[in-house]
Amino acid sequence: MTSAAIPHYHAIGIDPADIDFMGHVNNASYLKWVQEAVVSHWQRLAPADAVAEHLWVALKHEITYRKPTFLDDEVIATVLLEKVQGARAFYETIIKRGEEVLAEVKSSWCCLNAETLRPARLAQSVVDRFFRKDQPPI
């Protein structure tokens, strides 16, 4: 049996402050969007007690910019949890305008205990909520 990540679709609001001197979204705004999208993914799929007990800190973002984004664009981020290792989680986020890919982001995150602010491993039952179990072929 294999498992597939459950996608999370996060609408992105573009603010006039996101626009740079060239008339399109500043690269720094993509980082803000990825953070919002990943945290939204966590809050949507994790149980309420796990959300209350854990925080996430970004460790690394690798962004490939494909096309510029403009103020009036309707943009969606699709978030996939690729894997969890210990207290680390690895995500892929694709930012699109319709079918056009605007940016692709690989990021790694550290899970923290909300009280101690120390790295924390998630229970396997929590991690499993982010993946769909595919049925074996008959």
Side-chain angles (χ1 to χ4, degrees), residues 2-13:
T2 61
S3 61
I6 298 171
H8 174 64
Y9 303 99
H10 180 77
I12 294 173

Side-chain angles (χ1 to χ4, degrees), residues 121-133:
R121 292 176 182 258
L122 293 172
Q124 188 62 46
S125 61
V126 173
V127 174
D128 288 346
R129 294 175 69 115
F130 291 81
F131 296 93
R132 196 176 11 249
K133 299 290 188 228

Side-chain angles (χ1 to χ4, degrees), residues 67-87:
K67 295 185 178 202
T69 307
F70 301 98
L71 182 61
D72 294 327
D73 288 346
E74 291 185 22
V75 178
I76 300 287
T78 303
V79 180
L80 294 171
L81 176 60
E82 293 181 320
K83 66 180 175 178
V84 175
Q85 287 182 316

Side-chain angles (χ1 to χ4, degrees), residues 102-113:
L102 304 174
E104 299 168 80
V105 185
K106 296 280 192 175
S107 57
S108 62
W109 299 74
C110 182
C111 181
L112 302 178
N113 176 292

Side-chain angles (χ1 to χ4, degrees), residues 2-76:
T2 61
S3 61
I6 298 171
H8 174 64
Y9 303 99
H10 180 77
I12 294 173
I14 303 171
D15 188 271
D18 291 322
I19 305 303
D20 67 14
F21 66 95
M22 293 185 289
H24 54 72
V25 171
N26 184 291
N27 290 355
S29 294
Y30 291 83
L31 295 174
K32 176 182 70 170
W33 296 346
V34 170
Q35 175 128 356
E36 291 170 357
V38 167
V39 170
S40 173
H41 180 246
W42 165 251
Q43 292 171 340
R44 184 181 133 238
L45 293 176
D49 60 331
V51 171
E53 294 169 8
H54 299 92
L55 303 172
W56 289 95
V57 175
L59 299 174
K60 180 180 177 181
H61 294 293
E62 182 180 310
I63 304 176
T64 302
Y65 299 99
R66 300 286 181 201
K67 295 185 178 202
T69 307
F70 301 98
L71 182 61
D72 294 327
D73 288 346
E74 291 185 22
V75 178
I76 300 287

